[in-house]
Amino acid sequence: MFVQGVLYFKKRIATPVCDTIRAYYNKMMELPDSPKKIAKGVALGLAFDFLPIPIISIPLSYLAARLIRCNPVATVATVIFFKLAVPFFYTLNIMVGNVFLGDIPGPDIQSVGSSVIGTFINQLVEHGYPFLLGSVLNFVLVFVLVYFLILFLLKCRRCERGA
């Protein structure tokens, strides 16, 4: 019974997920741009998912990519690819912020209305400053780490292909 469950998991869940990740990786590695621009684009895209801008993060990431002159295709593709991981990223933001600030409450803001944006602002205020500090710290840390990792992988892959 257990073996059947493991085989089912591998066949139906793990293999398609691994194939999707492999396809995304290959697409990013084959983009026709300089390694620095691609690495900066992927890093910016992943880092953007840590910021508390869930509704408009895709167009904002495109604009930010154009402003800092990195690959906008890599940026937007990465933002879209990691959208399902955003709840995990937000939880990580709260944990990192609580490590640095403790449990400091947010500002006392009263919302008028119950729109989607109002609900989001209420949740943001509920978590307060630790969440905001965690999102900024994670943004910077993820950007730097992913930039150097992708740059290394791109250079290795291009040296391999060129040799």
Side-chain angles (χ1 to χ4, degrees), residues 87-101:
F88 169 74
F89 294 159
Y90 281 11
T91 305
L92 190 62
N93 288 344
I94 293 169
M95 290 169 45
V96 168
N98 282 334
V99 165
F100 282 97
L101 291 179

Side-chain angles (χ1 to χ4, degrees), residues 149-163:
L149 175 68
I150 298 297
L151 187 62
F152 173 75
L153 292 173
L154 279 165
K155 286 185 178 182
C156 286
R157 185 171 175 134
R158 292 194 178 175
C159 285
E160 230 175 59
R161 300 264 169 132

Side-chain angles (χ1 to χ4, degrees), residues 54-67:
I55 298 170
I56 58 172
S57 64
I58 295 170
L60 281 179
S61 66
Y62 176 79
L63 292 173
R66 299 297 274 178
L67 285 174

Side-chain angles (χ1 to χ4, degrees), residues 25-115:
Y25 172 78
N26 288 328
K27 284 180 185 178
M28 292 301 108
M29 293 295 137
E30 297 299 325
L31 284 173
D33 210 345
S34 74
K36 288 184 179 181
K37 286 185 177 184
I38 295 170
K40 200 185 302 183
V42 171
L44 182 66
L46 184 58
F48 243 86
D49 280 334
F50 281 93
L51 296 179
I53 47 174
I55 298 170
I56 58 172
S57 64
I58 295 170
L60 281 179
S61 66
Y62 176 79
L63 292 173
R66 299 297 274 178
L67 285 174
I68 65 169
R69 294 190 176 133
C70 65
N71 191 308
V73 173
T75 304
V76 172
T78 305
V79 168
I80 293 170
F81 186 77
F82 285 100
K83 271 300 170 204
L84 291 177
V86 167
F88 169 74
F89 294 159
Y90 281 11
T91 305
L92 190 62
N93 288 344
I94 293 169
M95 290 169 45
V96 168
N98 282 334
V99 165
F100 282 97
L101 291 179
D103 195 19
I104 298 174
D108 189 23
I109 298 175
Q110 297 298 324
S111 176
V112 181
S114 62
S115 67

Side-chain angles (χ1 to χ4, degrees), residues 123-144:
Q123 290 175 348
L124 187 63
V125 168
E126 179 182 318
H127 296 300
Y129 296 118
F131 175 74
L132 294 175
L133 177 68
S135 66
V136 170
L137 290 175
N138 286 335
F139 177 91
V140 172
L141 182 67
V142 164
F143 182 85
V144 171

